[in-house]
Amino acid sequence: MTLASATTTARSLIQRLRDHLCARIDHQGRARSACGSRVLESVLTWRLLENDTGYPAALATVRSYLRAAGARGDLTPVDRALLGLPGGKDPLPGFDHHTAGHKRLLMSAILHAAGVPGVIGPPPGVVATGNLHTWKRAELTACRIICAHAAGTAVDIDQLDALADLLRRPRIFEGNHLPHLLFLHALRPYPAHQAAVRHGLDLLVATQHADGGFSVAESFDTWVSSIVATALTEAGTAREELTQTATWLAACQAAGGGWSYTPQATQTDMDTTYTAMVFLNDHDPAGYAAHLAAGHAYVRGLQNTDGGWPTYRRGAPSEPAMTGGALAVLAQRPGDHAEQVVAGARWLAGTQKPDGTFERGWSLAEGNAIFRAVHGLCTARDRLPLPPSVSDAVDHALDRAADHLERTHNRDGGWGHHAGRASDPVSTGYALAALGLLRRMRPVPSALAYLAAHQRPDGGFDAPADTAAPRPIPVDVPVLAPAYVLRGLAHFGR
């Protein structure tokens, strides 16, 4: 494919993707973001409902979903364990991440609540929760209670009362199903809290999907809308087509200046704040100057002393993907944030692995963190005179990232989640977005041919689940594949 024909192919892909994504924006300007049903939450719900006579229809349909899920060929090891199928195993071997201790407690509680035999929980007090965000602290409290009850050890009555208070709220706490389910499993053995459990079950059953399953969260509306809007803006969509989305997203900004993944959550995060601010800055920087100023203050306040950024709270370990997003945001106003940008760029370049990748963060695909790191480092380099030592480190990191992407380019033209994996559209979108910023065009024609061959008639793409929530358990958010392919195509065309 010549560069001219590649450009024609890219324009065709972009137009169909724009039409596809615009059709998914509702009258409020929100991109519809239903995540797919997942075995984990569905099994935990089934275990609650099978001992309760109050929800026969919900029980029948979740059983139907799980029967269908068990017949699929794409089950993860933890899915198989939860369903009692051969090949089920611990999903965490080799999970080298700062959250690994929390996740082992979480998985012990999940597997026990799901009725998986032979599960022995870690000691209830093994994990500290002092610096964790809102729902994770409460979630781990529920996990400790589940494990303590399983072991026959004492449970803190005040902690039971605190979980009951969260269940009695008018909506699912922070819009997040998994902690809600763990609250229910933690409190179910205690008669004094049955009214709270009943209310929590009512809230849960009201969110059941049409296929009978349950998902990890009620929605990812704010996060997904910000990604879709950013992709459409980068691809040249007319400003007036996204006015309602900008208004809706601006209204979702929290008092502290950040954004949450869903309007139901109070806990803000760097992930959603990154794309919300990139979009508003590209869409109408003057009109949203006050929102952007508050967002910049939020991002400055989240930066750790090592120069990097965490997802949720200052003091939690810094993460490459979050730091890349933060740099792209602060470099919108480079004169005001020179010190923060230099420190962040130094930290991010220094955390790159020898093969050119970065820790994956909330994605199962290497390309996600690579793109975000490249986005932040390129923006910092292009908009700010960096000190020579930092500039050299940034250039070296960008070269290694580009070399890695070129080296892991599959023969069919696409990229997979990591080297050696089959190609998929969303990983290919990440790679194209990074390569476009890096001006490395050699793999682009074959990548465009791959995407053209896999685009659906409606303009979208099918791709394996890429997002992990909680890490490293995959959750399917179908709209992300077309959104990130569009971002990739838009960056290639710049």
Side-chain angles (χ1 to χ4, degrees), residues 16-106:
R16 295 175 69 194
L17 278 165
R18 286 170 53 187
D19 293 344
H20 175 83
L21 291 172
C22 285
R24 277 145 186 81
I25 297 176
D26 66 17
H27 67 282
Q28 293 181 291
R30 177 180 55 188
R32 295 190 294 277
S33 67
C35 18
S37 297
R38 192 163 70 167
V39 168
L40 193 162
E41 286 77 16
S42 300
V43 166
L44 292 179
T45 302
W46 164 51
R47 289 300 190 186
L48 289 165
L49 299 185
E50 68 176 350
N51 296 315
D52 193 302
T53 60
Y55 309 92
L59 176 59
T61 49
V62 76
R63 280 175 170 164
S64 177
Y65 165 78
L66 290 171
R67 282 194 298 270
R72 297 199 313 254
D74 61 346
L75 296 174
T76 67
V78 71
D79 290 341
R80 302 187 71 84
L82 290 166
L83 292 170
L85 298 173
K89 58 182 180 180
D90 179 2
L92 299 177
F95 182 55
D96 182 17
H97 193 265
H98 69 266
T99 62
H102 304 150
K103 295 299 165 31
R104 295 202 176 278
L105 174 58
L106 174 64

Side-chain angles (χ1 to χ4, degrees), residues 462-481:
D462 296 316
D466 157 58
T467 301
R471 294 177 278 199
I473 303 171
V475 57
D476 187 24
V477 187
V479 76
L480 291 184

Side-chain angles (χ1 to χ4, degrees), residues 191-231:
H193 296 294
Q194 291 314 293
V197 170
R198 173 64 57 190
H199 178 67
L201 285 172
D202 288 342
L203 294 177
L204 176 66
V205 168
T207 67
Q208 189 170 25
H209 288 181
D211 65 3
F214 292 81
S215 61
V216 65
E218 288 191 67
S219 82
F220 290 135
D221 279 357
T222 316
W223 179 59
V224 164
S225 296
S226 70
I227 294 170
V228 168
T230 297

Side-chain angles (χ1 to χ4, degrees), residues 381-475:
R381 179 194 63 185
D382 295 345
R383 298 189 182 181
L384 194 73
L386 300 173
S389 62
V390 178
S391 179
D392 290 344
V394 166
D395 288 342
H396 183 56
L398 293 174
D399 286 341
R400 288 205 297 187
D403 291 344
H404 174 83
L405 291 172
E406 290 189 340
R407 189 170 59 250
T408 57
H409 186 211
N410 289 332
R411 291 184 178 181
D412 63 4
W415 282 264
H417 280 180
H418 53 79
R421 281 289 298 272
S423 298
D424 67 82
V426 71
S427 298
T428 302
Y430 296 143
L432 277 180
L435 290 169
L437 289 168
L438 294 165
R439 299 293 182 260
R440 292 281 193 101
M441 297 297 144
R442 186 176 61 82
V444 167
S446 60
L448 295 176
Y450 167 82
L451 291 171
H454 288 81
Q455 191 171 34
R456 297 196 312 249
D458 69 353
F461 287 92
D462 296 316
D466 157 58
T467 301
R471 294 177 278 199
I473 303 171
V475 57

Side-chain angles (χ1 to χ4, degrees), residues 159-343:
Q159 291 183 347
L160 292 174
D161 291 341
L163 294 187
D165 287 343
L166 295 178
L167 280 182
R168 282 192 288 263
R169 294 187 177 193
R171 296 198 66 168
I172 288 175
F173 177 59
E174 297 286 81
N176 197 323
H177 278 133
L178 183 54
H180 184 81
L181 282 160
L182 291 166
F183 302 164
L184 289 167
H185 278 279
L187 292 178
R188 185 174 62 167
Y190 301 96
H193 296 294
Q194 291 314 293
V197 170
R198 173 64 57 190
H199 178 67
L201 285 172
D202 288 342
L203 294 177
L204 176 66
V205 168
T207 67
Q208 189 170 25
H209 288 181
D211 65 3
F214 292 81
S215 61
V216 65
E218 288 191 67
S219 82
F220 290 135
D221 279 357
T222 316
W223 179 59
V224 164
S225 296
S226 70
I227 294 170
V228 168
T230 297
L232 287 168
T233 299
E234 290 173 343
T237 303
R239 179 173 157 180
E240 57 270 19
E241 292 187 49
L242 295 169
T243 299
Q244 285 182 304
T245 302
T247 301
W248 184 82
L249 276 173
C252 290
Q253 188 175 29
W259 277 262
S260 304
Y261 80 99
T262 178
Q264 287 97 272
T266 60
Q267 176 64 64
T268 51
D269 62 84
M270 188 61 244
D271 201 7
T272 308
T273 300
Y274 155 55
T275 38
M277 291 190 66
V278 168
F279 165 60
L280 292 178
N281 186 70
D282 287 348
H283 179 76
D284 185 1
Y288 291 102
H291 295 82
L292 292 167
H296 287 132
Y298 169 82
V299 175
R300 289 195 305 270
L302 197 59
Q303 188 174 24
N304 281 329
T305 55
D306 63 9
W309 276 264
T311 301
Y312 295 109
R313 293 194 171 185
R314 176 181 166 88
S318 297
E319 303 180 47
M322 298 303 119
T323 301
L327 289 175
V329 165
L330 291 185
Q332 293 171 345
R333 303 289 184 274
D336 298 333
H337 305 124
E339 182 179 345
Q340 292 87 357
V341 170
V342 168

